[in-house]
């Protein structure tokens, strides 16, 4: 196949041509309550061509019929020629790469029967349902895939990548009269069958929490000192800061560039942030991005100062910086755009723990778990799964509907304590941008304290 | 293709239904005011569902030359693990399908140059100093064919076009984003594009001045765009699936008046000119309009074939399926209307839909951040504002930042303070602005 792609690239009349072909084998099992929803095996395949010509824009073609490949290269070329640009689009130089990058399968999911997968999910789903008769519904899903990606471009790069992925997640829905609460567990890894065994306890815990939340009061809306647990701190850094560090936000926008000037202070010296697509075995991990650039650990904030950003070849060329291996596409249906991989807040001093963060707080909120987050650049929202009030330096009652409303600049600058207890979130789900969702990403963080943050709710 | 798959399945399974869909998209994108890319995408796929031994199984493929035997075998393997379902595929409909236009020549035949020209005109109309304008134009032509082993068949071509425009204005550390769209089956008229421009301009102009947010339990106008957080719980709760699962707070409440008596909600696949309108659903059930809430009374939930069979009722024609996975419930065009629908349109460019006059202190909410990420079906929502304006003594005084609104959708919709005169489509939803009382507003 590599040779076929190389031949098609060679025949292209465009100045730059890249071809990506994907074949994805996947299987999925889903339960809703006690009922099995589906158990299926799917095969998805298709190709993507992107070309560039001098004084012209991008020409793009995606297709499921691979026989059409040579015709699609021509069509992409014609599309590019139809797009006249005043300012040429340049791509940063990268060293041509040739490799077969096979990620560890850790129990090849293609060799496990659908029946086995159903049994595994049935156990996790059953563990949630068995917690209480107040658990009226569940949504559980198992999904695995092995994706083969071929990438060839006219700069001499030729890659084959084998990317496994497995995600098990469950939502427990508890109900008492009109009151409905949910608990969510999700495990997502760039690995295989062996890595998703023996999680019964975790599923039990979230179902129990959903039941407990039925009795919990809503948090009162106000500004509080807030401690984020590892999971929420990870989602926080992804949403609040990560998206702004994607260079496609600034590269065409002088005002945005000014706002995100390298060297600007974003936080106190305790704050260190980065994005590492080369970390081992995480969901956002890839040896090469979807432009064939090797991934790397990119520092973004060092001791509170903005030091870097995430690039594709195009944004790097425009800003005179180096590509960072962050051009990613969710599938052959989409062009690569600047995305995060595994984004993290680096741990603070070793030995500093959660208790050290709350001991001097009279009143505060401990926000835990993440239902999700969204950013509108300067402003962001993230929804905790649950929370506790902190009173007189101690964890007090359980509260629900904890949603943090934030302004990036104010909030980052108010991070005043970072614990040493770093962990990577191993969650499913994914990140959405430009119509591409869900992109597998991971976040990692220790417990983090924000001096003051706004929590929405009844006032 | 459909016939070949059904022929192959015959004798090997007790019943089957198939969806085949081919989509062609053409898209042009202007980034920061400049044309940057043009693209096409072509995709075809087939989704097969079988009943074997009373159990249901599914299989899908995007292979260019799918092997019907392999597909049937995969669906049968899926059925071996499946649940027992008493599902009957609909028989051929003796009546001809409802005459709903889904295909517009103008849309299908628009050339790349026409699409680029349309985008460029919008960019020019929206350009202003210190603002970045992004515009995207996407045109789609889709062929759909559905069929089942009971002999029913459905087939249609559909067009769709989406024109989206957003303006970003960064001043110091203040980031302002205003967005709007035109989505339809037919090409937008000059008036449609002009309305889009005016909508963006109105909201941008009113947002230039920043004022302090109020706090407390206040009257809040949710614009058609801002309404998502309030209507999302209803859309989930009116799904036959959540009712069956026991997670819908509306389960068992059919016939009860739970909402303001002026509020009606309809799912309507027969609205002309909408991209989700179609003569049959993805399970060969003829399309029809379904009243979900009628003058505040819960009337009906939406069902696909499987959930209808389990609930011992009829499908409402809301079956939707992709290439992969099994059919599920999907709304088509959902309309939220006040009973005085006569004055439902015409004031799109008036922020607040003419409802601000009586507000002494409150908000207009046009965009919330994080909608859909909480415990949606419970009705509780709590979101920071993405774009919101303060209303004081009947006038818009400016944009508010760093505020969050919260409430419970079911409670708030019991008493609606007013329906705006700005009813409009936003994607697949039609609604006017709604004035809701006693919404919690928190500020930093």
């Amino acid at each position: 196949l590599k040779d076929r792609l190389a031949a098609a690239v060679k025949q292209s009349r465009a100045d730059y041509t890249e071809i990506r072909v994907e074949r994805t084998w996947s299987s999925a099992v889903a339960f809703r309550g006690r009922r099995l929803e589906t158990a299926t095996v799917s095969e998805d395949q298709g190709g993507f061509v992107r070309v560039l010509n001098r004084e012209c824009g991008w020409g793009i073609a995606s297709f499921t019929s691979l026989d059409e490949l040579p015709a699609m290269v021509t069509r992409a070329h014609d599309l590019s020629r139809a797009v006249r640009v005043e300012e040429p689009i340049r791509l940063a130089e990268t060293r041509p790469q040739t490799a077969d990058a096979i990620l560890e399968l850790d129990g090849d999911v293609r060799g496990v029967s659908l029946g086995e997968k159903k049994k595994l999910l049935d156990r996790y789903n059953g563990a949630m349902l068995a917690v209480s008769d107040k658990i009226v519904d569940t949504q559980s899903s198992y999904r695995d895939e092995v994706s083969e990606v071929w990438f060839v471009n006219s700069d001499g790069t030729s890659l084959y990548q084998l990317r496994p992925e497995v995600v098990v997640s469950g939502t427990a829905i508890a109900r008492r009269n009109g009151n409905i609460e949910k608990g969510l567990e999700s495990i997502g890894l760039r690995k295989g069958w062996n890595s998703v065994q023996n999680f019964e306890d975790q599923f039990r815990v979230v179902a129990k929490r959903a039941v407990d939340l039925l009795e919990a009061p809503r948090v009162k809306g106000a500004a509080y000192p807030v401690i984020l647990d590892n999971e929420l701190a990870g989602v926080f850094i992804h949403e609040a800061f990560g998206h702004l560090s994607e260079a496609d936000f600034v590269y065409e926008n002088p005002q945005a560039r000014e706002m995100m000037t390298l060297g600007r202070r974003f936080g106190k010296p305790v704050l260190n942030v980065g994005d590492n697509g080369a970390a081992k075995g995480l969901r956002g991990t890839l040896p090469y991005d979807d432009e064939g650039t090797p991934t790397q650990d990119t520092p973004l904030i060092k001791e509170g100062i903005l030091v870097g950003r995430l690039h594709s070849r195009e944004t790097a060329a425009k800003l005179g910086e180096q590509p960072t291996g962050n051009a990613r596409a969710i599938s052959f249906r989409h062009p690569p755009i600047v995305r995060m991989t595994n984004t993290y807040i680096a741990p603070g001093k070793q030995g500093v723990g959660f208790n050290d963060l709350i001991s001097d707080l009279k009143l505060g909120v401990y926000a835990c778990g993440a239902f999700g987050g969204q950013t509108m650049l300067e402003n962001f929202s993230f929804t905790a799964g649950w929370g506790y009030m902190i009173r007189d330096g101690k964890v007090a009652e359980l509260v629900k509907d904890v949603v943090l409303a934030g302004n990036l600049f104010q909030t980052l600058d108010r991070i005043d304590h970072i614990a040493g207890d770093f962990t990577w979130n191993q969650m499913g789900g994914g990140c959405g941008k430009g119509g591409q969702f869900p992109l597998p990403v991971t976040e990692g963080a220790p417990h983090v304290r924000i001096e003051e943050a706004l929590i929405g709710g009844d006032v | 293709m459909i016939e070949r798959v059904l022929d192959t399945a015959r004798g090997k399974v007790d019943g089957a239904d198939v969806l085949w869909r081919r989509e062609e998209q053409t898209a042009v994108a202007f980034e920061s005011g400049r044309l940057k890319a043009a693209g096409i995408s072509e995709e075809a796929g087939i989704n097969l569902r079988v009943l074997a031994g009373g159990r249901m199984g599914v299989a899908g493929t995007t292979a260019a030359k799918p092997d019907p035997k392999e597909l049937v075998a995969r669906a049968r393997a899926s059925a071996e693990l499946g649940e027992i379902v008493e599902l009957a595929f609909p028989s051929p409909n003796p009546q001809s399908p409802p005459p709903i236009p889904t295909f517009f020549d103008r849309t299908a035949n628009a050339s790349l140059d026409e699409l680029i020209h349309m985008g460029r005109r919008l960019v020019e109309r929206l350009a202003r100093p210190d603002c970045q304008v992004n515009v995207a134009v996407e045109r789609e032509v889709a062929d759909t064919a559905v069929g089942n082993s009971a002999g029913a068949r459905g087939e249609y071509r559909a067009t769709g076009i989406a024109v989206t425009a957003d303006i970003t204005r960064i001043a110091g550390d203040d980031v302002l984003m205003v967005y709007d769209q035109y989505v339809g089956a037919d090409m937008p008229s000059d008036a449609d594009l002009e309305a889009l421009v005016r909508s963006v301009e109105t909201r941008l102009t009113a947002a230039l001045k920043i004022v302090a947010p109020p706090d407390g339990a206040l009257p809040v106008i949710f614009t058609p765009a801002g309404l998502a957080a309030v209507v999302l719980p209803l859309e989930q709760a009116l799904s036959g699936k959540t009712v069956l699962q026991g997670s819908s707070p509306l389960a068992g409440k059919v016939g009860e008046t739970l909402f303001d008596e002026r509020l009606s909600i309809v799912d309507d696949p027969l609205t002309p000119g909408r991209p989700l309108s179609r003569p049959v659903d993805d399970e060969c059930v003829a399309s029809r309009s379904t009243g979900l809430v009628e003058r505040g009374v819960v009337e009906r939930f939406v069902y696909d074939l499987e959930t209808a069979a389990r609930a011992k009722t009829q499908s409402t024609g809301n079956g939707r399926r992709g290439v992969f996975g099994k059919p599920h419930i999907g709304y088509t065009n959902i309309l939220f209307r006040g009973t005085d629908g006569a004055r439902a349109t015409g004031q799109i460019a008036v922020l607040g839909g003419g409802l601000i006059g009586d507000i002494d202190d409150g908000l207009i909410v046009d965009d919330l951040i994080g909608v859909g990420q909480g415990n949606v079906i419970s009705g509780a929502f709590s979101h920071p504002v993405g774009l919101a304006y303060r209303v004081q003594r009947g006038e818009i005084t400016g944009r508010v930042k760093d505020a969050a609104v919260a409430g419970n959708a079911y409670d708030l919709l019991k008493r609606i303070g007013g329906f705006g005169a700005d009813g409009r489509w936003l994607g697949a939803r039609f609604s006017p602005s709604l004035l809701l009382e006693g919404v919690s507003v928190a500020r930093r």
Side-chain angles (χ1 to χ4, degrees):
Chain A
L1 190 54
K2 260 191 197 169
D3 294 341
R4 238 178 98 194
L5 303 189
V9 164
K10 209 165 176 187
Q11 274 166 20
S12 171
R13 286 174 290 140
D15 295 332
Y16 171 80
T17 303
E18 70 183 29
I19 301 176
R20 178 158 44 93
V21 168
E22 292 172 19
R23 190 160 62 206
T24 300
W25 184 100
S26 67
S27 71
V29 182
F31 278 92
R32 184 84 190 248
R34 298 207 176 274
R35 280 182 70 87
L36 179 83
E37 284 283 321
T38 39
T40 57
V41 173
S42 301
E43 281 178 41
D44 190 19
Q45 48 80 46
F48 174 90
V49 177
R50 194 170 68 150
V51 311
L52 200 52
N53 285 293
R54 211 161 298 124
E55 285 158 29
C56 296
W58 288 108
I60 294 166
S62 83
F63 46 96
T64 49
S65 179
L66 288 175
D67 295 347
E68 303 274 321
L69 177 60
M72 287 296 171
V73 172
T74 305
R75 285 188 73 177
H77 177 67
D78 293 343
L79 287 163
S80 165
R81 304 285 300 173
V83 175
R84 290 280 159 188
V85 297
E86 297 124 45
E87 197 181 331
I89 296 173
R90 291 182 305 116
L91 300 182
E93 296 290 323
T94 49
R95 210 152 49 85
Q97 305 283 333
T98 311
D100 284 353
I102 316 266
L103 291 172
E104 189 200 342
L105 292 178
D106 188 33
D108 190 340
V109 291
R110 294 169 296 188
V112 180
S113 75
L114 207 47
E116 285 293 307
K117 292 169 186 173
K118 179 185 167 184
K119 252 189 240 160
L120 176 80
L121 188 63
D122 199 6
R123 280 210 305 278
Y124 295 163
N125 187 56
M128 293 195 293
L129 285 164
V131 160
S132 157
D133 55 9
K134 293 197 184 75
I135 300 291
V136 292
D137 194 9
T138 58
Q139 294 174 28
S140 300
S141 72
Y142 168 95
R143 188 177 184 283
D144 60 33
E145 70 173 46
V146 176
S147 191
E148 293 178 281
V149 186
W150 291 265
F151 178 89
V152 175
N153 73 15
S154 53
D155 292 346
T157 289
S158 175
L159 297 169
Y160 167 77
Q161 297 187 68
L162 185 75
R163 303 169 178 171
E165 189 181 349
V166 61
V167 176
V168 189
S169 51
T171 303
I173 295 164
R175 180 170 181 182
R176 195 174 50 96
N177 303 323
N179 196 355
I180 294 168
E181 294 299 332
K182 68 178 184 183
L184 172 68
E185 176 60 279
S186 174
I187 300 131
L189 300 152
R190 203 171 266 307
K191 287 184 182 172
W193 178 245
N194 298 340
S195 61
V196 289
Q197 307 301 315
N198 306 316
F199 282 103
E200 281 84 352
D201 286 346
Q202 282 88 328
F203 284 91
R204 226 169 267 133
V205 165
V206 295
K208 186 166 180 309
R209 189 175 309 115
V211 173
D212 292 345
L213 282 172
L214 290 172
E215 311 295 333
R218 299 187 77 181
V219 69
K220 282 225 178 322
Y224 299 94
V226 177
I227 316 293
L228 309 179
D229 77 347
N230 306 64
E231 182 174 318
L232 193 54
V235 173
F236 163 74
I237 204 63
H238 173 104
E239 287 303 329
F241 173 75
H243 283 290
L244 283 175
S245 74
E246 295 166 343
D248 55 346
F249 163 59
V250 302
Y251 82 125
E252 297 275 22
N253 187 334
Q255 288 82 20
R257 221 186 293 180
E258 200 171 306
M259 188 170 102
M260 297 300 288
T261 302
L262 298 184
R264 175 178 175 173
R265 178 163 287 284
F266 263 73
K268 301 188 196 314
V270 291
L271 186 65
N272 290 285
V273 177
D275 181 85
N276 186 1
K280 253 191 126 137
L282 302 172
R283 271 188 96 215
T285 299
L286 298 166
Y288 301 92
D289 75 359
D290 291 316
E291 291 183 325
T293 306
T295 54
Q296 63 179 42
D297 186 0
T298 308
L300 300 172
I301 293 178
K302 242 184 196 162
E303 297 180 353
I305 307 284
L306 187 69
V307 295
R309 52 183 140 238
L310 306 177
H311 280 299
S312 64
R313 291 181 66 186
E314 183 183 347
T315 62
K318 175 93 186 187
L319 297 182
E321 294 167 16
Q322 289 302 308
T324 54
N326 286 85
R328 303 180 63 191
I330 57 162
S331 78
F332 66 88
R333 294 173 175 86
H334 298 274
I337 56 175
V338 182
R339 304 299 293 261
M340 286 172 258
T341 59
N342 308 303
T343 312
Y344 61 87
I345 298 177
K349 270 204 197 82
Q350 223 182 348
V352 176
F354 171 67
N355 284 327
D356 301 310
L357 269 48
I358 63 166
S359 56
D360 60 339
L361 295 183
K362 195 154 169 47
L363 178 69
V365 173
Y366 179 30
C368 301
F371 279 163
Q374 193 192 343
T375 179
M376 265 186 73
L377 306 176
E378 174 199 13
N379 289 294
F380 60 81
S381 156
F382 45 110
T383 307
W386 71 100
Y388 298 93
M389 298 309 296
I390 295 167
R391 299 184 191 280
D392 300 320
K394 289 196 173 63
V395 174
E397 76 273 16
L398 181 71
V399 288
K400 68 185 177 193
D401 299 336
V402 178
V403 178
L404 276 87
N407 172 293
L408 166 72
F409 303 101
Q410 295 165 8
T411 309
L412 278 182
D413 193 45
R414 286 178 181 145
I415 293 178
D416 65 344
H417 277 294
I418 295 181
D421 54 356
F422 181 91
T423 53
W424 286 108
N425 295 342
Q426 305 280 8
M427 288 195 295
C431 172
K433 175 179 170 186
Q436 298 196 43
F437 172 84
L439 184 82
V441 293
T442 300
E443 301 102 19
H447 276 93
V448 165
R449 184 168 96 175
I450 304 170
E451 289 170 299
E452 187 192 74
L454 180 65
I455 292 197
D458 298 330
V459 288
Chain B
M1 196 63 222
I2 293 245
E3 303 303 331
R4 271 179 61 205
V5 174
L6 287 173
D7 284 348
T8 308
R10 190 168 302 127
K12 296 198 180 71
V13 295
D14 308 331
D17 72 348
V18 188
L19 170 120
W20 173 86
R21 188 166 278 147
R22 183 172 193 287
E23 294 166 330
E24 270 186 55
Q25 278 172 354
T26 308
V28 296
F30 292 80
E31 242 184 90
S32 292
R34 289 200 289 268
L35 180 61
K36 200 66 184 285
I40 53 137
S41 98
E42 292 187 1
E43 169 156 9
I46 191 154
N47 177 271
L48 167 69
R49 169 170 57 182
V50 299
L51 291 171
R55 295 173 191 276
M56 193 174 95
V58 290
T61 182
T62 50
K65 298 187 188 77
D67 174 1
K69 270 197 204 131
E70 187 273 336
L71 195 64
V72 170
R74 199 139 46 80
R76 282 182 60 186
S78 166
E80 274 171 33
L81 300 172
E83 297 278 346
I84 305 261
V85 203
E86 282 174 37
L87 190 150
F89 294 118
S91 309
N93 196 334
Q95 290 154 8
S96 51
I100 170 74
T102 56
F103 183 85
F104 292 81
D105 286 324
R106 291 201 308 172
T107 310
N109 297 335
S111 68
L112 183 67
D113 283 344
E114 280 176 71
L115 301 180
I116 289 175
H117 180 69
M118 190 194 318
R120 181 157 287 138
R121 258 180 57 206
L122 261 185
V123 166
E124 282 163 6
R125 289 282 282 112
L126 289 170
R128 59 209 60 226
D130 298 330
C131 287
Q132 304 294 320
V133 180
N134 295 323
V135 167
V137 181
E138 272 180 53
R139 182 262 317 273
E140 181 175 284
V141 180
D143 291 289
T144 301
V146 284
N148 66 33
S149 53
R153 296 290 183 272
E155 207 178 335
Y156 59 94
R157 292 199 92 184
T159 51
I161 179 152
V163 182
T164 57
D166 67 74
I167 290 194
T168 305
R169 176 181 169 277
I170 298 179
D173 283 349
D174 175 48
V175 184
L176 169 63
M177 277 178 78
V178 180
Y179 163 93
D180 208 344
Q181 62 177 17
Y182 166 88
V183 176
D186 196 0
M187 295 292 276
S189 64
D190 287 348
D192 290 327
L193 294 178
E194 192 52 36
L196 198 163
V197 168
R198 271 188 295 134
S199 157
V200 171
E201 271 174 351
T202 307
R203 286 176 299 143
L204 183 71
T205 308
L208 293 177
K209 185 176 164 201
I210 299 171
V211 295
D215 69 345
L218 296 170
V220 172
I221 297 168
F222 290 85
T223 67
L227 207 53
V230 180
V231 298
L232 204 56
L234 266 75
E235 292 180 8
Q236 290 193 5
L238 288 166
S239 158
K241 183 80 173 204
T242 59
V243 172
L244 270 174
Q245 296 303 134
S247 57
S248 169
L250 302 182
K253 309 267 179 168
V254 168
E256 291 183 28
T257 305
L258 294 189
F259 304 108
D260 188 291
E261 292 188 7
R262 289 169 299 166
L263 178 69
S264 292
I265 308 174
V266 179
D267 177 78
D268 184 21
L270 303 175
T271 309
R274 302 309 307 165
L276 288 182
S277 296
R278 74 288 193 268
V280 288
D281 77 354
D282 291 348
E283 299 181 308
C284 259
V285 177
S287 288
R288 61 158 187 253
S289 166
T290 305
L292 307 172
V293 172
E294 186 71 42
R295 293 176 182 267
V297 180
V298 179
E299 288 286 309
R300 188 139 181 54
F301 306 117
V302 291
Y303 291 97
D304 58 6
L305 284 178
E306 186 193 358
T307 51
R310 287 175 55 201
K312 309 231 176 308
T313 180
Q314 297 296 310
S315 166
T316 50
N318 287 87
R320 176 170 305 163
R321 66 211 286 189
V323 170
F324 304 109
K326 73 169 182 180
H328 54 270
I329 294 172
Y331 288 96
T332 60
N333 305 302
I334 189 161
L335 293 89
F336 288 76
R337 276 198 286 233
T339 44
D340 49 351
R343 51 170 211 128
T345 52
Q347 292 200 40
I348 289 176
V350 179
L351 199 47
L355 293 169
I356 58 173
D358 298 332
I359 296 180
D360 187 47
D361 195 10
L363 289 182
I364 297 174
V365 167
D366 193 55
D367 192 18
L368 294 172
I369 305 177
V371 172
Q373 293 179 339
N375 181 13
V376 173
I377 203 167
S378 73
F381 65 88
S382 171
H383 302 287
V385 298
L387 182 57
Y389 305 87
R390 185 164 188 179
V391 178
Q392 289 169 288
R393 288 174 296 283
E395 306 235 345
I396 296 170
T397 51
R399 169 169 52 117
V400 300
K401 297 172 66 171
D402 301 327
V405 299
N408 186 291
Y410 304 111
D411 295 340
L412 291 171
L413 290 172
K414 277 188 190 3
R415 208 168 55 84
I416 295 171
F419 292 77
D422 55 351
R424 60 165 290 184
W425 285 99
L426 207 74
R429 181 191 300 131
F430 180 93
S431 76
S433 290
L434 295 184
L435 168 60
L436 302 176
E437 314 270 1
V439 180
S440 292
V441 180
R443 67 178 173 202
R444 188 173 305 121

